[in-house]
Amino acid sequence: MNKKYLLLLIFSLLGLSMFPQQGPAVPYVTAVSGIPICNPGECTELSTLYFDTGGTTSYDVIPIPYNPPASFSNSISGSVPLQANQDDYWSNIINLTQPGTPTFKFCFFGNVYENLLLSTNGVVTFSIAQGVTPGGLYSPATPSTWVMNGTQIPVNPGGQNAPFLNSIFGVFQDTNPLATGTPNDMAMNYRISGTAPNRMFILNLYNLNQFSCNNNLPPQISQMVLYETTNVIEVYIGQRTPCMQWNGGYGVVGVQNSTGTVAYFPPTRNVGTWSASNEGWRFKPSGPSVVTIDWFEGPTASGTAIGTGPTINVCPDNLTTYTARASYLMCDGTNVVVTDQIDVNIGEDLPLNVQDITLCGEAPFTINLNDVNDDVLNGLDPNLYELSVFESQFLQEEGYGAYTTAQLQNFQVNAGEEKTIYGRIQNFDTDCLTFFQYVVKAGAQPEVTQPADMQVCDSGNDSVEIFDLTSNDAQILDGQDPADFNVTYHTTSGGADIEDSSIADPTAFSSGDTTIYARVTNVDNADCFNVTSFDLIVTPIPQVVVPADGFACSDVGYILPNLSVGNYYTQSGGLGTQLAQASILTNSQTVYVYAESATTPNNCFTEGSFYVTIYPTPVVEDRADLQACDAYELTALTTGNYYTGAGGTGTQLNAGDFITTSQTIYIYAVTGDATTVCSDESDFVVTINSAPTVSPATPLEECADNFDGYAYFDLTPAGVEILNGQSGLTITYHSTQAAAEFG
């Protein structure tokens, strides 16, 4: 709760932007102190403000305010005019390094350059022919094309064509210094500004008319800036209006590598007919950071190295100077180094007694803050340490508008009110300030909401379960901040009143049916509490007795036994169709026994199942009795088999067998299993009669007395000879064998 500060002036007096990436793109480092130290050995964090930049393998395109860093005028000292009397022309080779100064190196797409060419059409290129740049394409002091066919970058146009390779466009368009109506203050110049390692190369194209459109359009204004060390590129567009009657009105802002495979450009500023005014763009290298931060103890970077990185913790015992060093790695392997120093002073840590105050009872409250502030000083000499308290943090930091003694003596807090008191103590010897604050709350008795009873199912069937009582905290507090109130649980009302420890672990309380008392206590005042209660309910889980699997014949069916607990269902979970006890099942199926307690919030249930198998009862054919001569052939059956004994006993007979003796034949079929037999049976009598034997008869002769060839015969004597004594037979006589066989 204590915050200690020295009287140090930090960010606001450093004169530095809190957003350095939007400031000048130059290498710098500024060491900044964190929370000052008031006691020896305490730690504070030192940090750095620096311009962070990366390798030039890639770029971020960032919009920036239109604030060109240099004037456009030709009259500025150091300005070098371009060939103002020539149109579409490359400049001579421009050396970035001025005589007598350190070498100015500029990294672009991973390569380092010391020379460049400028085009009167708004291009900087590093692709210089005549052996200056390996593979260079564009010759100094020669015509520079203005033609663009509308193809956007990245593109490799080949040869001398545009858009140019290994180049910066800002703005590339067909401007003409010789155009009709060119303003008198037209300027085309470049200059190198600043000192190493913070130099800038600046190209100005000011108040130029465009070819063909001449002064029919506003003059074009742009500036390109190349920053040493950080390799940042900036393009400022004061005015760009497309000349639609020439070269399609094309213009482009961007950068492109030496093969035309990679390019970066602002949104909507690629090759096209766009317009712009008073806008700025920064092309910031976005490869891996090239900046390394090192820290040293001492006033120079030759002191003791103590760490690396943008921030570092230091724990000095006395006034100590620290140095931050930023090293910028160039693409040729060299480093640019900048440093800054900061002093860290030591104050003191006061043994204050600062505590929040909660007032319980009936509001409004009146409290004497003079007494509270005396407790804060904790015995410090008030003549050496001046304590003041304020209404706001702003007044606390500024040190005016403190509460008066009379205001502190009768300080009022209304019901539900919470007032923060902002205090500061000044040591008259050291001027070290210690800031503190405490809160005075009007703490009415905590409100409690009776929670719902906690009901669980008795999984162990022993009437005891484990309860997490703390799951009721939120219901009991009902929106009150749990940081302000402590909820404890007790087994008796009296225990809740004295806040005993009868329940050691409320998250895993083992209990049967009982009443629990919850106490809500103000964390700042144990006398501020309230009590509520709720019940613990252990609900028995129904115990069902599941019948064994059942078996029955289809002509009888399976009768569901009576249940003492639960009901029958066709689906699990008490779903499907409920089956009445004593119902007859005629189909095989799974039957579920389900029972529930029907209690809330937890419905306790149990379930089991068994399978009922219904065997189909067979039906055999019913045959009439029959007779046969000598033998009877059994025909095929659709159901069952033939047997010589009832109930499938005796000998099993098969279709096609011949019955040669008179007897009873049984047809019998059975399904089911060893314990459940489903059968049907019928019988019929087969009578077998023997065929008669025929004995030879004496031929009969008679005389034809009337000479007509006919006579009368008595056939019976022959019949007697034929029967030869067999009884029970009838003999008939026929004139032909066929008639005899037909009968």
Side-chain angles (χ1 to χ4, degrees), residues 619-640:
V619 178
V620 300
E621 62 181 284
D622 192 7
R623 293 189 176 183
D625 297 340
L626 58 88
Q627 296 186 20
C629 292
D630 293 331
Y632 172 72
E633 182 180 5
L634 295 175
T635 60
L637 295 172
T638 57
T639 302

Side-chain angles (χ1 to χ4, degrees), residues 60-64 152 237 251-254 264-272 274-276 279-283:
D60 286 334
V61 183
I62 305 167
I64 58 176
Q152 297 190 324
I237 309 171
V252 60
V253 173
Y264 298 92
F265 46 85
T268 72
R269 297 296 180 259
N270 207 330
V271 174
W274 47 270
S275 298
E279 70 178 32
W281 299 100
R282 173 172 288 177
F283 295 79

Side-chain angles (χ1 to χ4, degrees), residues 11 15-16 163 243 302 405 429 432 462 470 506 525 537 581 624 730:
F11 295 116
L16 296 174
C243 178
S302 61
T405 301
D429 284 344
C432 182
D462 57 1
T470 62
N525 190 334
I537 303 171
Q581 301 182 42
T730 300

Side-chain angles (χ1 to χ4, degrees), residues 5-88:
Y5 299 92
L6 292 178
L7 291 176
L8 297 180
L9 302 179
I10 49 176
F11 295 116
S12 62
L13 298 185
L14 287 174
L16 296 174
S17 169
M18 290 296 290
F19 306 96
Q21 299 302 314
Q22 294 299 322
V26 297
Y28 72 89
V29 65
T30 301
V32 180
S33 175
I35 297 176
I37 299 173
C38 285
N39 287 298
E42 289 184 352
C43 299
T44 189
E45 182 180 78
L46 303 182
S47 59
T48 52
L49 299 175
Y50 65 97
F51 189 89
D52 189 18
T53 188
T56 59
T57 53
S58 60
Y59 292 85
D60 286 334
V61 183
I62 305 167
I64 58 176
Y66 180 74
N67 187 23
S71 169
F72 292 91
S73 174
N74 283 325
S75 62
I76 300 299
S77 175
S79 292
V80 179
L82 294 179
Q83 298 95 328
N85 60 345
Q86 298 185 66
D87 183 26
D88 304 327

Side-chain angles (χ1 to χ4, degrees), residues 368-410:
N368 187 348
L369 292 186
N370 289 312
D371 296 337
V372 176
N373 294 334
D374 288 342
D375 291 339
V376 170
L377 280 175
N378 199 24
L380 293 175
D381 186 351
N383 296 314
L384 180 60
Y385 297 92
E386 181 183 51
L387 185 150
S388 306
V389 292
F390 305 84
E391 183 180 7
S392 69
Q393 185 175 0
F394 173 78
L395 295 177
Q396 174 197 48
E397 293 175 353
E398 296 298 323
Y400 65 84
Y403 284 119
T404 65
T405 301
Q407 288 175 314
L408 295 175
Q409 188 171 1
N410 296 288

Side-chain angles (χ1 to χ4, degrees), residues 364-663:
F365 300 94
T366 299
I367 184 174
N368 187 348
L369 292 186
N370 289 312
D371 296 337
V372 176
N373 294 334
D374 288 342
D375 291 339
V376 170
L377 280 175
N378 199 24
L380 293 175
D381 186 351
N383 296 314
L384 180 60
Y385 297 92
E386 181 183 51
L387 185 150
S388 306
V389 292
F390 305 84
E391 183 180 7
S392 69
Q393 185 175 0
F394 173 78
L395 295 177
Q396 174 197 48
E397 293 175 353
E398 296 298 323
Y400 65 84
Y403 284 119
T404 65
T405 301
Q407 288 175 314
L408 295 175
Q409 188 171 1
N410 296 288
F411 193 82
Q412 286 197 344
V413 184
N414 297 318
E417 196 171 24
E418 180 177 311
K419 291 187 176 181
T420 301
I421 307 300
Y422 298 90
R424 59 187 270 166
I425 298 174
Q426 181 174 0
N427 185 326
F428 288 133
D429 284 344
T430 63
D431 275 341
C432 182
L433 288 178
T434 299
F435 292 86
F436 67 90
Q437 65 185 54
Y438 58 85
V439 176
V440 179
K441 301 179 183 179
Q445 295 296 106
E447 295 180 4
V448 295
T449 299
Q450 184 172 22
D453 294 336
M454 301 183 73
Q455 179 260 330
V456 296
C457 299
D458 187 7
S459 59
N461 202 28
D462 57 1
S463 300
V464 175
E465 281 298 323
I466 303 298
F467 292 85
D468 180 5
L469 304 179
T470 62
S471 63
N472 272 346
D473 286 2
Q475 290 187 62
I476 294 170
L477 290 175
D478 194 22
Q480 296 174 97
D481 191 346
D484 296 333
F485 300 100
N486 186 30
V487 181
T488 56
Y489 296 92
H490 310 269
T491 56
T492 65
S493 176
D497 287 339
I498 63 174
E499 200 170 10
D500 66 6
S501 57
S502 57
I503 298 179
D505 184 4
T507 64
F509 180 59
S510 178
S511 176
D513 292 351
T514 190
T515 299
I516 296 297
Y517 298 88
R519 171 187 169 120
V520 180
T521 307
N522 191 308
V523 296
D524 294 324
N525 190 334
D527 293 329
C528 253
F529 72 93
N530 213 333
V531 176
T532 187
S533 66
F534 57 93
D535 289 335
L536 303 183
I537 303 171
V538 179
T539 301
I541 296 177
Q543 303 298 309
V544 299
V545 178
V546 181
D549 290 344
F551 305 87
C553 299
S554 61
D555 60 335
V556 176
Y558 177 82
I559 301 175
L560 291 174
N562 290 331
L563 296 172
S564 59
V565 178
N567 293 290
Y568 294 111
Y569 294 90
T570 58
Q571 295 181 21
S572 176
L575 302 176
T577 302
Q578 181 176 340
L579 304 175
Q581 301 182 42
S583 295
I584 299 176
L585 304 183
T586 57
N587 294 312
S588 297
Q589 59 187 289
T590 298
V591 180
Y592 298 88
V593 180
Y594 178 83
E596 63 182 17
S597 64
T599 54
T600 55
N602 296 306
N603 182 20
C604 306
F605 68 91
T606 189
E607 181 181 72
S609 66
F610 63 100
Y611 193 78
V612 174
T613 301
I614 303 297
Y615 297 111
T617 302
V619 178
V620 300
E621 62 181 284
D622 192 7
R623 293 189 176 183
D625 297 340
L626 58 88
Q627 296 186 20
C629 292
D630 293 331
Y632 172 72
E633 182 180 5
L634 295 175
T635 60
L637 295 172
T638 57
T639 302
N641 294 291
Y642 295 107
Y643 294 91
T644 60
T649 61
T651 301
Q652 180 178 334
L653 304 176
N654 300 309
D657 289 350
F658 287 92
I659 305 300
T660 59
T661 62
S662 297
Q663 58 185 291

